[in-house]
Amino acid sequence: IGSVADELYGCKFDLTTNTKTNLYSGQNVSSFKINGNTITAYNGTSVLYTGEVLPAEVADLVEKISKLDHSSTDFIAQVKELTGAYAALSAEQQALVFNFKALQAAEAKAKAYSEQIDSLSLAITSLTKELSFETLKEQAITVRTTYDESPKVVQAGVENYEHLVAFEAYIVETEK
C-alpha cells in the first residue's frame, strides 16, 4: 500500500503517513483508525483496505446519509429516498454503507415525526361546530399549542392546517 493515497468512504487515506482527509470538506477525519492495511470506522466496522474505491452509488448514499438534516421540512421525504436507495443496492454494496446505523436512526425519527403528523392532523379534523363553543375553543387552543411546539418537519406535514386557522377565525368572530 505504501504512500499511495486512495479514496474510501469519502475520505482519502495515506497509509504511510497515517492521515485521512474528508474529500468533501478537506478536513482531517478523526473518526477512523488505520492499523496496517485495516481501516476501522467510528462505529467499529473494520475493512481491509485493498485500494479499491467505493462504488459511486454507495459513496453517494453514504454522503447523503451524513448530510441528513433532521430539522429540514423535507426530512421524511429524504429518509424515504435514502431508504429506497439503500434497498436498491446489492447485499455486497449494502455492507459497504458504514453509516447505515445513522440511516436506521433517521428512519425511526421519520416514523416518529409521521406519527406526530397523523396525531396532529386527527386533532385538527376533530374540531367541528358540533362541539360546544367552549369545548371547541379549548380544543383549538390545545391543537394550536401542539402545532406551534412541533418541529418544522411536523408542521410542514400537516395538510389540514387551514382547517385549524379557519376554526380559530370562527372563534374570534363568534366572541365579538
Side-chain angles (χ1 to χ4, degrees):
I1 294 174
S3 62
V4 176
D6 271 305
E7 299 169 18
L8 180 72
Y9 294 148
C11 296
K12 183 186 280 186
F13 294 90
D14 184 326
L15 299 181
T16 300
T17 62
N18 204 33
T19 58
K20 48 259 178 223
T21 306
N22 184 299
L23 294 174
Y24 308 107
S25 69
Q27 297 178 341
N28 186 41
V29 178
S30 60
S31 57
F32 290 89
K33 295 177 188 170
I34 301 174
N35 183 10
N37 63 346
T38 301
I39 300 171
T40 305
Y42 68 94
N43 64 0
T45 304
S46 292
V47 294
L48 182 63
Y49 179 69
T50 62
E52 295 177 16
V53 176
L54 281 178
E57 54 275 342
V58 174
D60 183 54
L61 180 59
V62 166
E63 178 183 7
K64 287 180 179 177
I65 291 170
S66 71
K67 291 183 177 182
L68 267 175
D69 180 1
H70 292 251
S71 63
S72 170
T73 57
D74 66 343
F75 172 73
I76 295 170
Q78 290 177 24
V79 171
K80 286 180 183 177
E81 176 189 333
L82 296 179
T83 301
Y86 178 82
L89 296 175
S90 69
E92 184 178 274
Q93 290 173 320
Q94 287 179 351
L96 297 174
V97 179
F98 67 90
N99 58 353
F100 176 65
K101 287 186 180 192
L103 179 59
Q104 288 178 312
E107 286 178 290
K109 190 71 158 175
K111 181 180 179 191
Y113 284 155
S114 292
E115 290 170 357
Q116 290 175 16
I117 291 167
D118 292 345
S119 177
L120 192 51
S121 295
L122 183 61
I124 291 172
T125 302
S126 71
L127 299 174
T128 70
K129 291 180 182 177
E130 295 171 6
L131 298 170
S132 72
F133 182 77
E134 287 306 313
T135 301
L136 174 61
K137 183 177 175 181
E138 287 172 17
Q139 287 184 358
I141 290 169
T142 300
V143 171
R144 167 55 69 189
T145 301
T146 302
Y147 178 87
D148 289 347
E149 292 175 352
S150 295
K152 298 243 181 272
V153 64
V154 171
Q155 291 177 359
V158 175
E159 295 178 358
N160 60 347
Y161 174 74
E162 290 77 25
H163 187 73
L164 172 60
V165 173
F167 270 97
E168 288 173 327
Y170 167 75
I171 291 166
V172 169
E173 276 300 310
T174 304
E175 287 184 319
K176 286 184 180 180

PDB file of all heavy atoms in Angstrom, residues 117-139:
ATOM      1  N   ILE A 117     -47.449  13.855  12.979  1.00  0.00           N
ATOM      2  CA  ILE A 117     -48.249  14.496  11.921  1.00  0.00           C
ATOM      3  C   ILE A 117     -49.649  13.907  11.913  1.00  0.00           C
ATOM      4  O   ILE A 117     -50.643  14.642  11.879  1.00  0.00           O
ATOM      5  CB  ILE A 117     -47.579  14.340  10.543  1.00  0.00           C
ATOM      6  CG1 ILE A 117     -46.303  15.182  10.481  1.00  0.00           C
ATOM      7  CG2 ILE A 117     -48.533  14.705   9.408  1.00  0.00           C
ATOM      8  CD1 ILE A 117     -45.398  14.868   9.300  1.00  0.00           C
ATOM      9  N   ASP A 118     -49.746  12.575  11.950  1.00  0.00           N
ATOM     10  CA  ASP A 118     -51.049  11.907  11.943  1.00  0.00           C
ATOM     11  C   ASP A 118     -51.885  12.318  13.147  1.00  0.00           C
ATOM     12  O   ASP A 118     -53.080  12.606  13.016  1.00  0.00           O
ATOM     13  CB  ASP A 118     -50.882  10.383  11.912  1.00  0.00           C
ATOM     14  CG  ASP A 118     -50.301   9.870  10.607  1.00  0.00           C
ATOM     15  OD1 ASP A 118     -50.280  10.630   9.607  1.00  0.00           O
ATOM     16  OD2 ASP A 118     -49.847   8.704  10.585  1.00  0.00           O
ATOM     17  N   SER A 119     -51.254  12.356  14.311  1.00  0.00           N
ATOM     18  CA  SER A 119     -51.961  12.721  15.539  1.00  0.00           C
ATOM     19  C   SER A 119     -52.464  14.158  15.484  1.00  0.00           C
ATOM     20  O   SER A 119     -53.617  14.447  15.832  1.00  0.00           O
ATOM     21  CB  SER A 119     -51.028  12.521  16.734  1.00  0.00           C
ATOM     22  OG  SER A 119     -51.655  12.927  17.920  1.00  0.00           O
ATOM     23  N   LEU A 120     -51.617  15.049  15.039  1.00  0.00           N
ATOM     24  CA  LEU A 120     -51.987  16.462  14.952  1.00  0.00           C
ATOM     25  C   LEU A 120     -53.075  16.677  13.896  1.00  0.00           C
ATOM     26  O   LEU A 120     -54.033  17.427  14.122  1.00  0.00           O
ATOM     27  CB  LEU A 120     -50.755  17.301  14.649  1.00  0.00           C
ATOM     28  CG  LEU A 120     -50.861  18.811  14.798  1.00  0.00           C
ATOM     29  CD1 LEU A 120     -51.439  19.215  16.144  1.00  0.00           C
ATOM     30  CD2 LEU A 120     -49.489  19.440  14.608  1.00  0.00           C
ATOM     31  N   SER A 121     -52.947  16.002  12.778  1.00  0.00           N
ATOM     32  CA  SER A 121     -53.959  16.114  11.719  1.00  0.00           C
ATOM     33  C   SER A 121     -55.313  15.614  12.209  1.00  0.00           C
ATOM     34  O   SER A 121     -56.349  16.232  11.929  1.00  0.00           O
ATOM     35  CB  SER A 121     -53.527  15.313  10.484  1.00  0.00           C
ATOM     36  OG  SER A 121     -52.359  15.863   9.922  1.00  0.00           O
ATOM     37  N   LEU A 122     -55.302  14.516  12.963  1.00  0.00           N
ATOM     38  CA  LEU A 122     -56.544  13.982  13.523  1.00  0.00           C
ATOM     39  C   LEU A 122     -57.146  14.958  14.525  1.00  0.00           C
ATOM     40  O   LEU A 122     -58.367  15.188  14.539  1.00  0.00           O
ATOM     41  CB  LEU A 122     -56.277  12.627  14.182  1.00  0.00           C
ATOM     42  CG  LEU A 122     -57.492  11.900  14.746  1.00  0.00           C
ATOM     43  CD1 LEU A 122     -58.504  11.599  13.640  1.00  0.00           C
ATOM     44  CD2 LEU A 122     -57.058  10.618  15.418  1.00  0.00           C
ATOM     45  N   ALA A 123     -56.315  15.570  15.347  1.00  0.00           N
ATOM     46  CA  ALA A 123     -56.803  16.549  16.329  1.00  0.00           C
ATOM     47  C   ALA A 123     -57.437  17.747  15.620  1.00  0.00           C
ATOM     48  O   ALA A 123     -58.466  18.271  16.069  1.00  0.00           O
ATOM     49  CB  ALA A 123     -55.666  17.002  17.231  1.00  0.00           C
ATOM     50  N   ILE A 124     -56.843  18.168  14.519  1.00  0.00           N
ATOM     51  CA  ILE A 124     -57.411  19.294  13.756  1.00  0.00           C
ATOM     52  C   ILE A 124     -58.746  18.885  13.141  1.00  0.00           C
ATOM     53  O   ILE A 124     -59.723  19.646  13.178  1.00  0.00           O
ATOM     54  CB  ILE A 124     -56.423  19.784  12.675  1.00  0.00           C
ATOM     55  CG1 ILE A 124     -55.215  20.449  13.349  1.00  0.00           C
ATOM     56  CG2 ILE A 124     -57.101  20.746  11.698  1.00  0.00           C
ATOM     57  CD1 ILE A 124     -54.077  20.794  12.398  1.00  0.00           C
ATOM     58  N   THR A 125     -58.803  17.674  12.611  1.00  0.00           N
ATOM     59  CA  THR A 125     -60.033  17.174  11.997  1.00  0.00           C
ATOM     60  C   THR A 125     -61.166  17.091  13.021  1.00  0.00           C
ATOM     61  O   THR A 125     -62.331  17.274  12.679  1.00  0.00           O
ATOM     62  CB  THR A 125     -59.794  15.788  11.358  1.00  0.00           C
ATOM     63  OG1 THR A 125     -58.756  15.911  10.392  1.00  0.00           O
ATOM     64  CG2 THR A 125     -61.041  15.249  10.694  1.00  0.00           C
ATOM     65  N   SER A 126     -60.816  16.844  14.286  1.00  0.00           N
ATOM     66  CA  SER A 126     -61.847  16.701  15.322  1.00  0.00           C
ATOM     67  C   SER A 126     -62.493  18.039  15.704  1.00  0.00           C
ATOM     68  O   SER A 126     -63.493  18.060  16.419  1.00  0.00           O
ATOM     69  CB  SER A 126     -61.260  16.033  16.567  1.00  0.00           C
ATOM     70  OG  SER A 126     -60.386  16.913  17.235  1.00  0.00           O
ATOM     71  N   LEU A 127     -61.929  19.151  15.236  1.00  0.00           N
ATOM     72  CA  LEU A 127     -62.541  20.455  15.506  1.00  0.00           C
ATOM     73  C   LEU A 127     -63.769  20.616  14.610  1.00  0.00           C
ATOM     74  O   LEU A 127     -63.647  20.693  13.394  1.00  0.00           O
ATOM     75  CB  LEU A 127     -61.543  21.581  15.227  1.00  0.00           C
ATOM     76  CG  LEU A 127     -60.262  21.595  16.061  1.00  0.00           C
ATOM     77  CD1 LEU A 127     -59.315  22.679  15.557  1.00  0.00           C
ATOM     78  CD2 LEU A 127     -60.578  21.789  17.534  1.00  0.00           C
ATOM     79  N   THR A 128     -64.930  20.632  15.227  1.00  0.00           N
ATOM     80  CA  THR A 128     -66.177  20.800  14.460  1.00  0.00           C
ATOM     81  C   THR A 128     -67.099  21.750  15.208  1.00  0.00           C
ATOM     82  O   THR A 128     -67.001  21.921  16.426  1.00  0.00           O
ATOM     83  CB  THR A 128     -66.916  19.448  14.263  1.00  0.00           C
ATOM     84  OG1 THR A 128     -67.429  19.018  15.524  1.00  0.00           O
ATOM     85  CG2 THR A 128     -66.012  18.384  13.664  1.00  0.00           C
ATOM     86  N   LYS A 129     -68.021  22.326  14.480  1.00  0.00           N
ATOM     87  CA  LYS A 129     -69.003  23.238  15.078  1.00  0.00           C
ATOM     88  C   LYS A 129     -70.049  22.476  15.877  1.00  0.00           C
ATOM     89  O   LYS A 129     -70.862  23.078  16.569  1.00  0.00           O
ATOM     90  CB  LYS A 129     -69.669  24.084  13.992  1.00  0.00           C
ATOM     91  CG  LYS A 129     -68.712  25.076  13.369  1.00  0.00           C
ATOM     92  CD  LYS A 129     -69.382  25.914  12.306  1.00  0.00           C
ATOM     93  CE  LYS A 129     -68.384  26.867  11.660  1.00  0.00           C
ATOM     94  NZ  LYS A 129     -68.979  27.646  10.574  1.00  0.00           N
ATOM     95  N   GLU A 130     -70.018  21.156  15.790  1.00  0.00           N
ATOM     96  CA  GLU A 130     -70.938  20.330  16.574  1.00  0.00           C
ATOM     97  C   GLU A 130     -70.555  20.310  18.049  1.00  0.00           C
ATOM     98  O   GLU A 130     -71.368  19.979  18.893  1.00  0.00           O
ATOM     99  CB  GLU A 130     -70.983  18.905  16.012  1.00  0.00           C
ATOM    100  CG  GLU A 130     -71.560  18.853  14.602  1.00  0.00           C
ATOM    101  CD  GLU A 130     -71.415  17.483  13.962  1.00  0.00           C
ATOM    102  OE1 GLU A 130     -70.965  16.537  14.630  1.00  0.00           O
ATOM    103  OE2 GLU A 130     -71.747  17.376  12.781  1.00  0.00           O
ATOM    104  N   LEU A 131     -69.313  20.677  18.348  1.00  0.00           N
ATOM    105  CA  LEU A 131     -68.871  20.766  19.739  1.00  0.00           C
ATOM    106  C   LEU A 131     -69.449  22.029  20.360  1.00  0.00           C
ATOM    107  O   LEU A 131     -69.757  22.997  19.656  1.00  0.00           O
ATOM    108  CB  LEU A 131     -67.340  20.835  19.803  1.00  0.00           C
ATOM    109  CG  LEU A 131     -66.555  19.647  19.251  1.00  0.00           C
ATOM    110  CD1 LEU A 131     -65.077  19.992  19.166  1.00  0.00           C
ATOM    111  CD2 LEU A 131     -66.769  18.422  20.123  1.00  0.00           C
ATOM    112  N   SER A 132     -69.561  22.028  21.675  1.00  0.00           N
ATOM    113  CA  SER A 132     -69.978  23.268  22.326  1.00  0.00           C
ATOM    114  C   SER A 132     -68.894  24.309  22.052  1.00  0.00           C
ATOM    115  O   SER A 132     -67.729  23.971  21.837  1.00  0.00           O
ATOM    116  CB  SER A 132     -70.149  23.054  23.835  1.00  0.00           C
ATOM    117  OG  SER A 132     -68.887  22.899  24.458  1.00  0.00           O
ATOM    118  N   PHE A 133     -69.280  25.575  22.073  1.00  0.00           N
ATOM    119  CA  PHE A 133     -68.323  26.628  21.746  1.00  0.00           C
ATOM    120  C   PHE A 133     -67.118  26.585  22.681  1.00  0.00           C
ATOM    121  O   PHE A 133     -65.974  26.717  22.244  1.00  0.00           O
ATOM    122  CB  PHE A 133     -69.006  28.006  21.785  1.00  0.00           C
ATOM    123  CG  PHE A 133     -68.072  29.108  21.414  1.00  0.00           C
ATOM    124  CD1 PHE A 133     -67.730  29.329  20.085  1.00  0.00           C
ATOM    125  CD2 PHE A 133     -67.482  29.911  22.394  1.00  0.00           C
ATOM    126  CE1 PHE A 133     -66.833  30.325  19.736  1.00  0.00           C
ATOM    127  CE2 PHE A 133     -66.586  30.917  22.051  1.00  0.00           C
ATOM    128  CZ  PHE A 133     -66.262  31.121  20.714  1.00  0.00           C
ATOM    129  N   GLU A 134     -67.339  26.408  23.973  1.00  0.00           N
ATOM    130  CA  GLU A 134     -66.242  26.377  24.941  1.00  0.00           C
ATOM    131  C   GLU A 134     -65.311  25.190  24.695  1.00  0.00           C
ATOM    132  O   GLU A 134     -64.092  25.313  24.773  1.00  0.00           O
ATOM    133  CB  GLU A 134     -66.775  26.371  26.380  1.00  0.00           C
ATOM    134  CG  GLU A 134     -67.335  27.711  26.825  1.00  0.00           C
ATOM    135  CD  GLU A 134     -66.343  28.866  26.650  1.00  0.00           C
ATOM    136  OE1 GLU A 134     -65.171  28.720  27.039  1.00  0.00           O
ATOM    137  OE2 GLU A 134     -66.753  29.910  26.118  1.00  0.00           O
ATOM    138  N   THR A 135     -65.889  24.032  24.389  1.00  0.00           N
ATOM    139  CA  THR A 135     -65.076  22.845  24.102  1.00  0.00           C
ATOM    140  C   THR A 135     -64.267  23.068  22.837  1.00  0.00           C
ATOM    141  O   THR A 135     -63.066  22.751  22.787  1.00  0.00           O
ATOM    142  CB  THR A 135     -65.972  21.598  23.957  1.00  0.00           C
ATOM    143  OG1 THR A 135     -66.700  21.402  25.176  1.00  0.00           O
ATOM    144  CG2 THR A 135     -65.157  20.360  23.641  1.00  0.00           C
ATOM    145  N   LEU A 136     -64.903  23.630  21.820  1.00  0.00           N
ATOM    146  CA  LEU A 136     -64.203  23.920  20.564  1.00  0.00           C
ATOM    147  C   LEU A 136     -63.045  24.884  20.814  1.00  0.00           C
ATOM    148  O   LEU A 136     -61.939  24.668  20.327  1.00  0.00           O
ATOM    149  CB  LEU A 136     -65.173  24.522  19.541  1.00  0.00           C
ATOM    150  CG  LEU A 136     -64.563  24.999  18.231  1.00  0.00           C
ATOM    151  CD1 LEU A 136     -63.897  23.850  17.484  1.00  0.00           C
ATOM    152  CD2 LEU A 136     -65.614  25.663  17.361  1.00  0.00           C
ATOM    153  N   LYS A 137     -63.295  25.914  21.599  1.00  0.00           N
ATOM    154  CA  LYS A 137     -62.265  26.899  21.888  1.00  0.00           C
ATOM    155  C   LYS A 137     -61.091  26.257  22.634  1.00  0.00           C
ATOM    156  O   LYS A 137     -59.921  26.467  22.272  1.00  0.00           O
ATOM    157  CB  LYS A 137     -62.863  28.042  22.712  1.00  0.00           C
ATOM    158  CG  LYS A 137     -61.887  29.152  23.015  1.00  0.00           C
ATOM    159  CD  LYS A 137     -62.578  30.274  23.777  1.00  0.00           C
ATOM    160  CE  LYS A 137     -61.579  31.338  24.191  1.00  0.00           C
ATOM    161  NZ  LYS A 137     -62.237  32.414  24.954  1.00  0.00           N
ATOM    162  N   GLU A 138     -61.384  25.439  23.647  1.00  0.00           N
ATOM    163  CA  GLU A 138     -60.332  24.768  24.418  1.00  0.00           C
ATOM    164  C   GLU A 138     -59.512  23.829  23.534  1.00  0.00           C
ATOM    165  O   GLU A 138     -58.277  23.803  23.603  1.00  0.00           O
ATOM    166  CB  GLU A 138     -60.940  23.977  25.581  1.00  0.00           C
ATOM    167  CG  GLU A 138     -61.457  24.834  26.710  1.00  0.00           C
ATOM    168  CD  GLU A 138     -62.216  24.020  27.749  1.00  0.00           C
ATOM    169  OE1 GLU A 138     -62.079  22.771  27.777  1.00  0.00           O
ATOM    170  OE2 GLU A 138     -62.955  24.636  28.532  1.00  0.00           O
ATOM    171  N   GLN A 139     -60.216  23.054  22.701  1.00  0.00           N
ATOM    172  CA  GLN A 139     -59.508  22.119  21.827  1.00  0.00           C
ATOM    173  C   GLN A 139     -58.665  22.855  20.787  1.00  0.00           C
ATOM    174  O   GLN A 139     -57.550  22.440  20.483  1.00  0.00           O
ATOM    175  CB  GLN A 139     -60.492  21.166  21.149  1.00  0.00           C
ATOM    176  CG  GLN A 139     -61.041  20.125  22.097  1.00  0.00           C
ATOM    177  CD  GLN A 139     -61.940  19.123  21.401  1.00  0.00           C
ATOM    178  OE1 GLN A 139     -62.198  19.208  20.206  1.00  0.00           O
ATOM    179  NE2 GLN A 139     -62.428  18.153  22.166  1.00  0.00           N
TER     180      GLN A 139
END
